[in-house]
Amino acid sequence: LSLEQYHKIKPANSHYVSIVLPIAVPKLYTYIVPEELVESIQFGIRVEVQLGRSKLYAGLIIDIHHQVPEDHTPKPILSIIDQHPIVYPEQFKLWQWIAHYYSCSIGEVMNAALPSGLKLSSETKVILSPMYDPNLQGLDDKEFMICEALSIQNELSTSDIQKILNQKTVYPLMQRMINKKIIYLKEELKEKYTPKIVVCVRLQEPYISNPELLQEAFDKLSRSTRQVEALMAYVQLSRTQKVIRRAELGKKANVDSSVLKAMVKKEIFEFYDKEISRIGVYEDDLKDTFDLSAQQETALTELRTHFQDKNVALLHGVTGSGKTRVYIELIQEAIQKGEQVLYLLPEIALTGQIVARLQKIFGNDIAVFHSRLNNHERVEIWKKVFSGQSIVMGVRSSLFLPFKNLKLIIVDEEHDTSFKQFDPAPRYNARDSAIYLAHLHQAKVVLGTATPSIETYYNAQQKKYALVEMKERFGGIQMPEIIIVDAKDEWKKRKLQSHFTTVLLDELSAALERGEQAILFQNRRGYAPTLNCKNCGWSKQCKNCDVSLTFHKFSHNLRCHYCGYQSQLPTACPSCGERDLNLKGFGTEKIEDELKIYLPDANIGRMDFDTVKGKNAHATIINAFEEKRIDILVGTQMVTKGLDFDNVGIVGVLSADHLLQFPDFRSTERAFQLITQVSGRAGRKFKRGKVIIQSFNTTHPVLKEVLNNNFSGFFHRELEERLDFNYPPFNRLIKIVLKHKKPELLNHGAKLFSQILKDRMGKRVIGPAVPGIPRVRGQYLLVMMIKLEKNPKKIKTAKEIILKATQFMKAQKGFSTIRVNVDVDPQ
DNA sequence: AGCACGCCGACT
DNA sequence: GTCGGCGTGCTC
């Protein structure tokens, strides 16, 4: 239908809808609503639409109007997917805010926001024509192969055909076959969500209403011992639970399903299907009984008072001060009023103790939303929140759940960098987005941490946020004693034993003798970063990224941490033939091994990215440590977060220097946070703990500030530095990364791009510069940074300039394939 | 994000 | 010639 034809025949006063599609296209699309569907359309429902020639999508309606499209013929909505909205207007406002603030498309936000179970897309499938005759002449080899496959498999997807023919481009061939009417397209939307169904068993009438008649049933079965056992098992199970699964009953009575089937025939049992939750439910309803400390009471009162005129409060409480207890009180107040609460946590902190603790108190009022949930579980939580689930504990993406009466958001470990998503877009910060979400819902926000981020503390100082402090540990336990050990000095005196100072080793063995446990923190994983040739210094590089491969002892191979590329160990140096290859650097795995030499009697465990990969691996290690099957836990960042153990006498930081050496304006801040957090694991609940920090450069001011637990000193010194170099919190940063697989082309494009930015924004633009790792996954990178004054208008203009510059550069011949990533407020 | 079109070099 | 790779532009 041409545009003119359409305008001639278009019905008067038709309904049109604006639709968001879950893809990275920058704009919304307008579809026409067929007369028969007009009644069913509303904001926030998904509809099936066609985009392009064959793709079908589930798009979201976000506007309904009568404005006739001027420049194109609208396609019709094909069908209605939802009877009721799946997205509220508040949610959509959050999406819009994120898209604007973080410079990405609304479709990208939709992609991140909806669980994939709610995002439908078509897979082009083809079927064989019923008229097809295997003896038909005139087919070439490839066509024949497809027909053969189709006569066996019934239908094939585009990717199936690609595999069968072992070639990428199959569409022309498919089109040809369609034209010849050998095959047909089969387009269908598949609903990915199917509730989990289990078969359950219950008694039939009359037994169900008259349990006293059960004796008769037993008599009736007396000839079959197995059936009697099954009935007995049923009676036992029914005392403690309402729903009895067939499999469970079979297992308990040790009978197979044929026995149960026979009992169905005898009209004692019947089977029925039940839709069950995939989310673990917590039955125990124990209550946290101990009283609040005076400090906690004060903090609560202060928070309540501040919330009368401020919407955001920073709760700055030292490790072990009992912030969680304060949250619990606030949550309790909220749910008593029937309000919803969102408790945001960094991914890694979510996996265990804190969840268990809150579940103990709030039981099934809490839904837990983390990244290891599968699609079905995500959709289930989505639906639960929609129907009013009162508390959600979750990672950054739980921000997008369909709250309708959200009144309190807690962002725990507010400083944590994992609240910021950096790839893919939307590159949003969940802490900052949470504050906007709270604004939409008229909710209050508590930002809790022992080590506030510079930005947040600055906001509190500027009175933008309220500030509540808890300076003492719960139960009057002292802050740990911190000892800074000069590793350089020991090295000079030849006392240093591999990576351990004598101070650390002595303290460790003393602690073990006292029956205490220890945590050692090392900020690197793997055995040794590189395998080097002793003769010429050669090391094996990744073929996709410009980094040396890392040696992994467990799998005994070399790996790239950036793209996952793996390679065998070379037996000799390929460059000079030298057979002596050396391990350089040290990681958690090596620490674990070497510690075994110095402390042979200790049970040593390791917790890092490699050992917590399995679904329950993380919990298993924590349990082993809790049950004291591990004496010393060696780990990366993971050991710093959200773990509460009551028998840790010693915490060791193996090398503070590694943390301070990063070429990044946040490295001091991160070092302070990490060391303070890991120190906080020492001596909680039990007695005063000890922290040993090893360093080759003991004069660094941050170490002294950590030593004295001097947050304020650290903050002011850091603030001055940030002011000198125009960094946040005084300025705002936008980071732009350009990527392409051809370095020369990338350089030229970046030059053009940066020139446009510099013409408009002058010296605020820094770069383009080659980053520390110049190539990742086969793509060369160039980085630009823009330092902007905190002026909303200027920031808005800057984002527009970036968008225009991107469009301009991409319009030039050859540059269209350069990828541009914009990261607002990078971490 | 797909997907098709069109341009180009590499083959039967 | 035609196949397949790759860059470009469009999708209501």
Side-chain angles (χ1 to χ4, degrees):
Chain A
L1 202 64
S2 81
L3 196 55
E4 297 100 275
Q5 285 171 321
Y6 171 73
H7 278 282
K8 263 181 224 152
I9 63 155
K10 68 166 190 278
N13 210 27
S14 290
H15 287 76
Y16 300 93
V17 287
S18 296
I19 281 182
V20 191
L21 297 168
I23 49 178
V25 287
K27 47 186 174 174
L28 300 174
Y29 288 95
T30 307
Y31 287 82
I32 185 164
V33 186
E35 206 48 49
E36 67 274 19
L37 295 182
V38 167
E39 290 293 305
S40 322
I41 54 158
Q42 55 177 317
F43 178 95
I45 64 164
R46 289 171 305 157
V47 288
E48 180 184 359
V49 292
Q50 187 178 6
L51 182 72
R53 190 177 283 213
S54 59
K55 281 307 267 190
L56 295 181
Y57 286 101
L60 190 76
I61 297 183
I62 53 117
D63 193 23
I64 302 162
H65 57 82
H66 294 286
Q67 222 173 320
V68 185
E70 292 299 324
D71 54 350
H72 65 267
T73 313
K75 282 183 181 164
I77 287 176
L78 300 175
S79 71
I80 306 275
I81 296 172
D82 301 305
Q83 303 312 309
H84 307 288
I86 61 155
V87 169
Y88 290 119
E90 282 81 14
Q91 279 176 282
F92 186 66
K93 279 183 196 150
L94 177 70
W95 294 11
Q96 280 180 309
W97 181 83
I98 288 180
H100 288 141
Y101 189 89
Y102 294 105
S103 284
C104 65
S105 75
I106 197 88
E108 286 172 317
V109 184
M110 177 174 176
N111 231 342
L114 290 184
S116 54
L118 294 177
K119 288 177 292 190
L120 305 169
S121 83
S122 69
E123 232 170 64
T124 309
K125 292 244 171 91
V126 294
I127 49 175
L128 202 56
S129 156
M131 311 292 282
Y132 170 73
D133 173 6
N135 300 316
L136 194 72
Q137 297 294 302
L139 293 181
D140 68 25
D141 286 353
K142 286 178 180 173
E143 290 172 349
F144 189 70
M145 275 168 80
I146 300 304
C147 292
E148 285 283 85
L150 275 170
S151 55
I152 300 161
Q153 262 182 58
N154 220 353
E155 62 179 53
L156 295 173
S157 68
T158 315
S159 60
D160 293 335
I161 295 177
Q162 286 171 327
K163 272 178 219 147
I164 291 168
L165 301 179
N166 193 25
Q167 66 184 53
K168 259 188 183 171
T169 321
V170 293
Y171 210 90
L173 172 101
M174 285 165 69
Q175 195 59 56
R176 211 163 60 222
M177 292 178 74
I178 291 164
N179 293 344
K180 287 189 191 170
K181 301 205 194 300
I182 304 166
I183 58 171
Y184 288 110
L185 274 184
K186 181 188 172 192
E187 273 293 322
E188 60 174 357
L189 277 180
K190 46 176 189 192
E191 176 83 58
K192 289 178 192 161
Y193 175 73
T194 42
K196 188 173 176 182
I197 303 281
V198 288
V199 180
C200 296
V201 180
R202 65 182 168 220
L203 289 172
Q204 287 195 29
E205 289 295 2
Y207 309 112
I208 205 160
S209 10
N210 309 295
E212 67 277 5
L213 295 178
L214 262 181
Q215 194 47 53
E216 281 175 29
F218 273 112
D219 296 342
K220 205 161 138 192
L221 296 175
S222 59
R223 278 185 25 204
S224 160
T225 42
R226 301 220 148 238
Q227 294 183 14
V228 170
E229 274 164 26
L231 189 55
M232 270 165 43
Y234 179 88
V235 172
Q236 266 180 27
L237 283 172
S238 64
R239 276 186 204 131
T240 52
Q241 58 193 73
K242 277 185 222 144
V243 176
I244 296 166
R245 299 189 195 179
R246 182 172 63 184
E248 189 182 10
L249 179 60
K251 204 175 164 196
K252 169 109 181 163
N254 196 21
V255 297
D256 67 45
S257 65
S258 63
V259 174
L260 300 178
K261 238 180 241 165
M263 294 171 77
V264 171
K265 262 201 177 140
K266 287 189 183 167
E267 297 182 329
I268 291 168
F269 283 157
E270 70 179 330
F271 295 153
Y272 65 102
D273 289 342
K274 185 164 171 57
E275 192 179 314
I276 60 140
S277 170
R278 288 164 204 273
I279 306 154
V281 283
Y282 198 90
E283 305 289 349
D284 201 351
D285 64 342
L286 293 165
K287 298 268 183 254
D288 246 22
T289 42
F290 57 84
D291 288 329
L292 291 171
S293 70
Q295 183 182 236
Q296 287 168 331
E297 286 283 9
T298 315
L300 261 175
T301 317
E302 285 178 26
L303 282 169
R304 290 188 193 114
T305 316
H306 283 308
F307 280 151
Q308 285 167 13
D309 62 327
K310 288 217 165 66
N311 294 323
V312 184
L314 166 61
L315 178 59
H316 177 202
V318 296
T319 50
S321 57
K323 293 184 287 295
T324 314
R325 191 60 209 284
V326 176
Y327 305 150
I328 289 169
E329 292 298 314
L330 291 173
I331 295 170
Q332 231 142 20
E333 276 169 39
I335 61 170
Q336 267 157 25
K337 285 185 265 176
E339 300 167 351
Q340 286 179 304
V341 179
L342 171 61
Y343 189 143
L344 287 174
L345 275 158
E347 170 69 43
I348 202 71
L350 191 59
T351 35
Q353 295 181 319
I354 185 109
V355 175
R357 182 164 168 202
L358 266 84
Q359 278 183 328
K360 249 186 195 173
I361 297 160
F362 298 108
N364 290 337
D365 285 346
I366 288 196
V368 182
F369 193 80
H370 56 81
S371 68
R372 289 181 190 193
L373 297 178
N374 62 35
N375 280 332
H376 295 290
E377 293 166 331
R378 279 161 205 250
V379 173
E380 239 174 77
I381 293 194
W382 187 276
K383 291 186 173 171
K384 274 190 165 185
V385 174
F386 216 102
S387 50
Q389 176 80 37
S390 47
I391 311 165
V392 176
M393 269 184 113
V395 293
R396 58 167 184 262
S397 55
S398 42
L399 215 60
F400 296 114
L401 289 166
F403 298 100
K404 62 185 140 192
N405 190 28
L406 183 64
K407 291 295 171 212
L408 175 66
I409 304 180
I410 292 161
V411 185
D412 199 8
E413 309 294 348
E414 161 281 323
H415 63 280
D416 198 282
T417 51
S418 69
F419 282 124
K420 178 82 199 281
Q421 168 158 318
F422 48 76
D423 232 13
R427 299 181 174 79
Y428 67 106
N429 186 318
R431 178 238 290 152
D432 300 338
S433 308
I435 292 171
Y436 185 76
L437 178 66
H439 162 76
L440 289 172
H441 284 268
Q442 312 291 314
K444 302 296 179 189
V445 183
V446 180
L447 305 176
T449 176
T451 51
S453 65
I454 297 285
E455 279 96 333
T456 299
Y457 201 79
Y458 180 76
N459 280 331
Q461 215 191 29
Q462 298 291 306
K463 311 272 182 227
K464 206 173 146 192
Y465 304 161
L467 175 63
V468 175
E469 296 194 290
M470 292 164 78
K471 294 187 171 168
E472 273 142 39
R473 289 187 144 189
F474 184 82
I477 290 167
Q478 280 179 291
M479 293 301 285
E481 178 191 356
I482 298 178
I483 301 166
I484 292 171
V485 186
D486 190 345
K488 202 187 200 168
D489 185 52
E490 285 213 3
W491 180 73
K492 274 188 200 153
K493 293 178 184 158
R494 301 191 163 260
K495 277 160 73 186
L496 194 64
Q497 309 191 48
S498 110
H499 305 291
F500 311 104
T501 58
T502 47
V503 181
L504 179 61
L505 287 177
D506 291 349
E507 289 285 358
L508 281 176
S509 34
L512 292 178
E513 250 166 57
R514 292 193 299 268
E516 296 170 3
Q517 292 168 290
I519 292 176
L520 292 187
F521 169 70
Q522 169 59 29
N523 198 23
R524 262 199 210 175
R525 67 187 169 99
Y527 190 87
T530 53
L531 189 70
N532 291 61
C533 168
K534 229 177 184 174
N535 181 34
C536 70
W538 171 90
S539 71
K540 175 132 187 163
Q541 301 296 112
C542 175
K543 64 170 185 162
N544 307 315
C545 315
D546 285 339
V547 290
S548 297
L549 295 178
T550 306
F551 177 64
H552 283 248
K553 190 188 162 213
F554 183 72
S555 48
H556 205 71
N557 64 2
L558 298 171
R559 278 191 225 171
C560 173
H561 282 187
Y562 290 86
C563 71
Y565 171 72
Q566 302 195 14
S567 166
Q568 293 300 304
L569 289 179
T571 48
C573 173
S575 131
C576 70
E578 173 66 52
R579 299 202 140 259
D580 200 356
L581 302 175
N582 232 359
L583 290 173
K584 233 184 191 175
F586 69 116
T588 43
E589 209 174 331
K590 188 161 185 183
I591 299 294
E592 184 192 3
D593 276 6
E594 296 197 336
L595 204 54
K596 281 179 188 154
I597 302 168
Y598 300 110
L599 300 168
D601 298 330
N603 290 316
I604 300 166
R606 177 163 63 96
M607 183 155 89
D608 57 26
F609 185 78
D610 295 316
T611 59
V612 299
K613 262 184 207 154
K615 200 162 179 165
N616 296 314
H618 189 259
T620 311
I621 297 170
I622 289 176
N623 276 342
F625 195 66
E626 260 176 345
E627 291 164 7
K628 310 194 169 56
R629 281 181 282 122
I630 293 176
D631 300 319
I632 304 177
L633 185 63
V634 180
T636 55
Q637 313 240 359
M638 281 173 204
V639 297
T640 64
K641 288 173 193 170
L643 301 180
D644 261 315
F645 302 110
D646 52 13
N647 190 36
V648 176
I650 302 285
V651 164
V653 177
L654 285 157
S655 166
D657 311 310
H658 277 137
L659 299 170
L660 292 162
Q661 277 162 5
F662 277 102
D664 171 353
F665 77 95
R666 276 190 226 273
S667 64
T668 351
E669 181 183 355
R670 266 190 220 132
F672 182 88
Q673 288 166 351
L674 266 169
I675 300 174
T676 307
Q677 294 281 349
V678 79
S679 304
R681 307 301 127 208
R684 303 166 60 129
K685 290 179 194 163
F686 181 63
K687 59 168 216 176
R688 192 174 189 202
K690 235 180 219 180
V691 180
I692 317 272
I693 301 170
Q694 301 188 147
S695 169
F696 276 81
N697 178 16
T698 50
T699 56
H700 198 294
V702 162
L703 293 179
K704 195 166 262 172
E705 286 149 8
V706 172
L707 183 75
N708 300 325
N709 193 27
N710 181 7
F711 178 78
S712 154
F714 154 74
F715 175 73
H716 288 105
R717 193 179 49 79
E718 185 66 23
L719 208 59
E720 253 169 59
E721 218 152 280
R722 301 280 182 96
L723 185 61
D724 286 348
F725 294 99
N726 293 328
Y727 277 125
F730 302 101
N731 285 54
R732 179 146 279 162
L733 294 182
I734 299 179
K735 182 179 168 188
I736 301 167
V737 183
L738 305 186
K739 298 185 189 176
H740 198 272
K741 57 176 186 287
K742 292 179 187 159
E744 329 79 55
L745 190 133
L746 177 68
N747 277 325
H748 288 132
K751 210 170 194 180
L752 176 71
F753 184 86
S754 62
Q755 199 50 56
I756 302 170
L757 297 189
K758 282 174 182 166
D759 287 347
R760 298 287 305 275
M761 294 185 282
K763 61 175 175 33
R764 295 180 189 84
V765 184
I766 297 153
V770 179
I773 294 130
R775 190 175 57 119
V776 172
R777 291 173 196 271
Q779 302 260 313
Y780 285 87
L781 311 180
L782 283 174
V783 182
M784 264 172 276
M785 197 64 100
I786 305 173
K787 290 179 180 174
L788 288 164
E789 300 90 312
K790 277 174 110 180
N791 169 339
K793 234 182 187 169
K794 277 203 171 144
I795 293 163
K796 192 171 168 252
T797 323
K799 288 174 191 168
E800 284 161 9
I801 296 169
I802 293 168
L803 194 69
K804 288 235 173 79
T806 308
Q807 286 166 353
F808 183 80
M809 180 190 66
K810 281 178 169 272
Q812 310 299 308
K813 261 230 150 6
F815 294 163
S816 72
T817 43
I818 296 179
R819 313 200 33 93
V820 180
N821 286 349
V822 180
D823 188 355
V824 178
D825 301 344
Q827 272 297 330

